[in-house]
Amino acid sequence: MTTLSPLRPGSGGTPPTRAGRRWWQLLATDPETPQARASRLRMRKRLAVWSLPFVLALALVAAKLLTMVALGDEAVRAYASGNVTGTENAGQRLEFLNLIEPHKAPFARGDARVLAGDYDGARAAFEEALALAPRDSRESCQIRVNLALSLEKLGQAAQTAGHADVAKQYFDRVQQVVNDAPPGCFEGDAQDEEGQQLRDAQQRAQDQNQQQDQQDQQSQNQQQQPSEDKQQQLDDKTRDNLNQRQQGDEQHGAVTKPPVDKPW
């Protein structure tokens, strides 16, 4: 009886070598040649190098997400306790990789400037935060409130210093900030908090402008009154001089005759 060979016909009785087969013909138990091992290691090294930037980016984003919440809470606590340095430090650390919710960093800086009494610096920080915050978010409403209050403080300071024109510009800006607020600032949960604060700031700004207009009108009237009084004094003096001259003419026998039309 004939015994069949397990080898393929035409193989010559010798099993195919690893180098003579395609990659899909290789078995996991086949021995690896030095050339194949070196090629595999080179490919693994390339993949590791190519993936390294993406891994680092993901790690940084994860670190940013983990620290952002903690730093935000720290800034709120520091502001509530009146800690200028703590609020400012939290805002500075939020600047790191400031790609996610970038408005939080200038928001915290603005709060720190308010605590320090630097309302112009606070105004600039809140303006920056408002430009970065999502328009329909509640945080944008909170930023608007702080911006309006900072502008109001600057207007009051200018008014106290006697710069009425500059004060009016600040109060006009307060009203513009409120008028540009989205409807969400006056609806829902924000209605009785940020919405009411914005309306109150707008009303105060309007009252300040009206009060300044009244003061300007009174000052103008006072400036005009001396001119009218002076003119009245001149008229009275002219009338007295005329009366005195007529009395003098009568004492010297002078007779005032009516004018006669000349024939020529």
Side-chain angles (χ1 to χ4, degrees):
M1 182 170 47
T2 303
T3 302
L4 297 177
S5 173
L7 302 179
R8 293 187 306 168
S11 63
T14 304
T17 63
R18 183 182 182 92
R21 284 181 288 174
R22 304 293 182 182
W23 64 269
W24 60 81
Q25 294 176 317
L26 299 177
L27 299 176
T29 57
D30 291 340
E32 185 179 32
T33 64
Q35 295 83 359
R37 183 174 184 276
S39 177
R40 178 175 58 80
L41 292 177
R42 285 195 301 270
M43 179 59 67
R44 181 181 296 178
K45 184 177 180 180
R46 289 174 185 172
L47 291 175
V49 172
W50 292 342
S51 62
L52 183 60
F54 300 100
V55 173
L56 290 176
L58 289 175
L60 291 174
V61 170
K64 175 65 176 180
L65 291 174
L66 291 174
T67 58
M68 184 176 63
V69 176
L71 290 174
D73 293 340
E74 180 182 340
V76 171
R77 289 193 301 269
Y79 178 78
S81 62
N83 187 349
V84 179
T85 304
T87 307
E88 195 161 12
N89 288 341
Q92 291 175 351
R93 282 183 287 172
L94 281 169
E95 295 282 358
F96 176 70
L97 286 179
N98 196 24
L99 302 176
I100 303 172
E101 296 187 339
H103 62 279
K104 289 184 177 294
F107 194 1
R109 280 192 284 107
D111 287 343
R113 292 297 86 207
V114 168
L115 291 176
D118 179 13
Y119 294 108
D120 191 49
R123 175 203 57 78
F126 291 141
E127 293 273 13
E128 179 184 353
L130 186 61
L132 295 173
R135 175 174 170 79
D136 295 329
S137 66
R138 185 165 182 181
E139 277 190 305
S140 73
C141 302
Q142 297 169 350
I143 295 171
R144 283 183 187 275
V145 171
N146 289 8
L147 175 58
L149 295 178
S150 298
L151 290 166
E152 185 178 0
K153 287 289 187 181
L154 291 170
Q156 292 172 352
Q159 201 171 49
T160 302
H163 304 304
D165 293 341
V166 177
K168 186 177 186 304
Q169 292 176 3
Y170 283 125
F171 293 136
D172 288 343
R173 176 65 179 141
V174 171
Q175 298 182 64
Q176 181 183 358
V177 169
V178 178
N179 291 332
D180 291 343
C185 293
F186 307 97
E187 299 173 351
D189 295 336
Q191 180 177 3
D192 296 331
E193 295 185 20
E194 291 85 7
Q196 187 60 49
Q197 290 176 313
L198 287 172
R199 284 190 291 265
D200 292 343
Q202 184 180 40
Q203 185 60 53
R204 288 194 300 268
Q206 291 176 351
D207 294 341
Q208 291 284 356
N209 279 340
Q210 291 176 358
Q211 182 179 356
Q212 186 62 49
D213 291 341
Q214 293 175 357
Q215 292 177 355
D216 292 342
Q217 185 63 39
Q218 291 176 358
S219 177
Q220 185 178 0
N221 292 338
Q222 291 175 357
Q223 291 176 358
Q224 292 176 350
Q225 187 65 32
S227 299
E228 296 176 356
D229 294 343
K230 187 175 181 180
Q231 183 63 41
Q232 183 64 37
Q233 291 175 0
L234 291 174
D235 292 342
D236 294 341
K237 187 175 181 180
T238 301
R239 189 178 301 105
D240 292 341
N241 291 337
L242 181 60
N243 292 334
Q244 291 176 2
R245 188 172 57 188
Q246 289 177 352
Q247 292 175 0
D249 291 341
E250 292 175 355
Q251 291 176 359
H252 291 83
V255 178
T256 303
K257 296 181 179 181
V260 178
D261 294 336
K262 296 183 178 179
W264 59 84

